[in-house]
């Protein structure tokens, strides 16, 4: 038997986990790791959350999957919740972040086409963005390294460097369908888009008849202390891609849109076999009920503030290792002075899991359920990692 028949597309840590509980993972030999990666911002409620286990098991004992050829009340139920809690009026369910971004782009283009303006198909995007790994999502992000070897990128995407409204306005033309942006760039290194910039984009969109698409696949679902990150800027998008945290670990994606923006998405225009799968709907509705609760979000904000204070303290004590702390809520980035991989490995040696981003940032994306115990453990692990990097540097002649 071939021992490793997995395509080696990921740089994997030499670690495998046998059990999970809350914010903690355990290896086969019983070593505990504090999980501040959370499946890359997916496991918002940690491992073995009793309500999620119950929701999944109850649905698993009934129908797992039924096609979209039928009326599916469970989809209507989750869509109703999502629209009550957001700007949106209509929802399309899919299975991943990339699929949600694709659906969002299609919704925007179809909107203009249905208004008789098929020439409007261009999407204005931002350097450093990440929208997923499908060919169109790659073209949207425009990351050369990710696009290399996959043939000509899908046409219709324009890329702007930095967050300058004058440059965006200059790029808007008769072919512009939408502007697509992450409120906080995740893979790009926890780069917060200024609230005023998002507000300015909304104004530009209104002026020029362009749709505003937000990619909240990573920043959404309570991650920043609001249900969706754009709420901090009090900006209403037209279309939004959601995934990761919505399933709490069960694969799900969703395209949210206001009624006007969704007007082109009529019978036969889009589809996804697994989109709105019953297991996903059961878990998604449970995650949303818990995360959207005002007390839960207040807890996220308190926890985030307590963690941030500790991180700022570390940054001032270890200015030779940590350059700065970025981010909002529990979507945080440690900007390293040196190589982020070295820092990530030192943290892993101290039994804390994190995610690297861009070339010098280590992301902290803990489950939103962490408390004082986890913050204290994170502080200790970060301190241990900083001390060990310092000792390594002292040995370099
Ligand atoms: C992870 C991510 C995606 C892609 O999600 P997949 O589920 O991996 O397809 C898209 N956009 C953002 C902002 C992400 O963080």
């Amino acid at each position: 038997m071939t021992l490793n028949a997995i395509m080696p597309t990921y740089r994997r840590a030499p670690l495998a986990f046998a059990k999970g509980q809350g914010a903690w993972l355990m290896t086969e030999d019983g070593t505990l790791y504090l999980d501040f990666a959370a499946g890359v911002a997916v496991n918002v409620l940690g491992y073995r959350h009793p309500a999620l286990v119950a929701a999944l098991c109850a649905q698993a004992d009934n129908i797992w999957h039924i096609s979209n050829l039928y009326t599916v009340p469970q989809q209507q139920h989750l869509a109703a919740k999502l629209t009550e809690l957001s700007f949106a009026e209509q929802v399309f369910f899919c299975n991943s972040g990339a699929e949600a971004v694709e659906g969002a782009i299609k919704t925007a283009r179809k909107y203009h086409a249905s208004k008789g303006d098929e020439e409007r198909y261009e999407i204005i995007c931002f350097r450093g963005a990440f929208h997923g790994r499908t060919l169109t999502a790659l073209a949207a992000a425009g990351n050369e390294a990710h696009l290399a070897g996959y043939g000509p990128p899908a046409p219709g995407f324009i890329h702007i460097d930095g967050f300058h409204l004058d440059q965006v306005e200059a790029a808007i033309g008769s072919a512009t369908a939408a502007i697509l942006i992450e409120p906080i760039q995740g893979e790009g290194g926890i780069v917060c888009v200024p609230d005023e910039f998002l507000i300015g984009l909304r104004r530009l969109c209104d002026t020029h008849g362009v749709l505003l698409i937000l990619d909240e696949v990573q920043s959404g679902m309570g991650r920043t202390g609001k249900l969706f990150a754009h709420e901090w800027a009090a900006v209403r998008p037209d279309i939004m891609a959601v995934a990761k945290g919505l399933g709490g670990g069960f694969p799900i994606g969703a395209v949210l849109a206001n009624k006007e923006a969704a007007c082109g998405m009529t019978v036969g225009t889009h589809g996804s076999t697994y989109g709105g799968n019953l297991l996903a709907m059961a878990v998604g509705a449970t995650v949303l009920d818990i995360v959207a609760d005002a007390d839960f979000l207040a807890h996220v904000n308190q926890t985030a503030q307590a963690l941030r204070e500790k991180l700022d303290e570390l940054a001032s004590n270890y200015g030779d290792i940590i350059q700065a702390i970025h981010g909002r809520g529990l979507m945080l980035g440690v900007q390293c002075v040196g190589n982020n991989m070295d820092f990530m490995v030192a943290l892993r040696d101290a039994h804390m899991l994190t995610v690297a981003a861009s070339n010098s940032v280590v992301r902290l994306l803990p489950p939103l359920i962490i408390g004082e115990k986890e913050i204290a453990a994170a502080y200790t692990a970060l301190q241990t990692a900083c001390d060990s990097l310092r000792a390594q540097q002292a040995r370099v002649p």
Side-chain angles (χ1 to χ4, degrees):
M1 197 167 71
T2 313
L3 272 181
N4 200 347
I6 305 289
M7 284 192 194
T9 60
Y10 285 97
R11 188 194 316 271
R12 293 173 191 269
L15 266 182
F17 298 103
K19 274 189 178 152
Q21 178 67 49
W24 300 83
L25 282 168
M26 197 196 273
T27 55
E28 200 69 67
D29 68 3
T31 311
L32 276 179
Y33 283 80
L34 176 64
D35 185 9
F36 270 40
V40 193
V42 165
N43 305 323
V44 284
L45 299 180
Y47 302 97
R48 297 185 68 217
H49 190 288
L52 296 195
V53 174
L56 182 67
C57 290
Q59 188 61 49
D61 197 30
N62 201 312
I63 305 171
W64 287 20
H65 178 80
I66 194 158
S67 97
N68 289 309
L69 298 173
Y70 307 99
T71 303
V72 186
Q74 293 88 341
Q75 291 179 3
Q76 292 173 354
H77 176 70
L78 180 52
K81 279 184 198 289
L82 282 167
T83 54
E84 260 164 44
L85 293 163
S86 73
F87 72 96
E89 291 159 305
Q90 300 209 309
V91 181
F92 178 88
F93 287 115
C94 51
N95 308 287
S96 69
E99 201 186 348
V101 168
E102 294 252 346
I105 293 167
K106 287 178 76 173
T107 303
R109 287 183 176 167
K110 201 71 164 181
Y111 163 81
H112 292 291
S114 76
K115 301 276 171 192
D117 207 351
E118 291 210 21
E119 298 305 308
R120 273 193 189 266
Y121 63 89
E122 263 175 17
I123 317 278
I124 296 177
C125 306
F126 295 86
R127 289 275 168 223
F130 180 81
H131 298 298
R133 296 286 199 152
T134 61
L135 287 167
T136 307
L138 288 178
N143 180 326
E144 297 295 336
H146 289 174
L147 281 161
Y150 294 121
F157 298 95
I158 289 177
H159 301 96
I160 308 268
D161 274 304
F163 306 122
H164 307 290
L165 287 172
D166 51 341
Q167 285 181 25
V168 177
E169 185 154 33
I172 295 176
S174 58
T176 310
I179 296 172
L180 167 62
I181 190 166
E182 303 162 80
I184 301 177
Q185 288 185 344
E187 308 295 309
I190 310 294
V191 179
C192 292
V193 174
D195 289 346
E196 316 80 68
F197 185 73
L198 283 183
I199 293 165
L201 287 184
R202 177 72 269 172
R203 202 174 42 235
L204 285 180
C205 285
D206 291 340
T207 306
H208 297 278
V210 166
L211 298 178
L212 181 60
I213 307 175
L214 294 182
D215 180 347
E216 290 240 28
V217 169
Q218 192 160 152
S219 59
M221 293 307 292
R223 178 64 41 200
T224 67
K226 298 265 191 199
L227 185 56
F228 296 108
H230 68 262
E231 294 170 28
W232 288 108
V235 156
R236 292 165 76 84
D238 298 294
I239 305 171
M240 176 168 71
V242 180
K244 291 198 166 98
L246 178 58
F250 201 94
I252 185 171
V255 183
L256 277 64
N258 63 43
K259 211 167 188 162
E260 175 69 2
C263 70
M265 303 308 278
T266 52
V267 172
T269 54
H270 194 36
S272 177
T273 297
Y274 279 124
N277 167 278
L278 290 178
L279 299 173
M281 294 300 103
V283 178
T286 312
V287 172
L288 189 58
D289 275 345
I290 294 170
V291 172
D293 180 74
D295 291 340
F296 184 90
L297 289 173
H299 166 81
V300 172
N301 283 301
Q302 278 160 18
T303 311
Q305 201 183 338
L307 178 61
R308 186 62 183 255
E309 278 166 22
K310 287 292 182 193
L311 293 174
D312 288 338
E313 186 187 320
L314 284 162
S316 68
N317 292 346
Y318 293 93
D320 52 329
I321 309 284
I322 299 173
Q323 196 173 314
I325 307 293
H326 302 299
R328 205 166 214 177
L330 291 175
M331 185 167 181
L332 295 163
V334 178
Q335 177 97 46
C336 304
V337 173
N339 186 318
N340 60 347
M341 293 311 265
D342 293 345
F343 195 66
M344 201 183 65
V345 170
L347 280 168
R348 197 201 299 150
D349 291 342
H351 296 169
M352 176 174 171
L353 305 174
T354 56
V355 195
S358 80
N359 44 17
S360 59
V361 173
V362 168
R363 269 179 289 173
L364 307 181
L365 303 165
L368 307 180
I369 45 124
I370 57 165
E372 282 169 24
K373 181 183 163 207
E374 285 78 18
I375 292 177
Y379 183 77
T380 306
L382 283 156
Q383 208 171 23
T384 305
C386 287
D387 283 336
S388 111
L389 287 176
R390 222 177 230 179
Q392 277 175 36
Q393 280 165 12
R395 281 197 296 274
V396 176

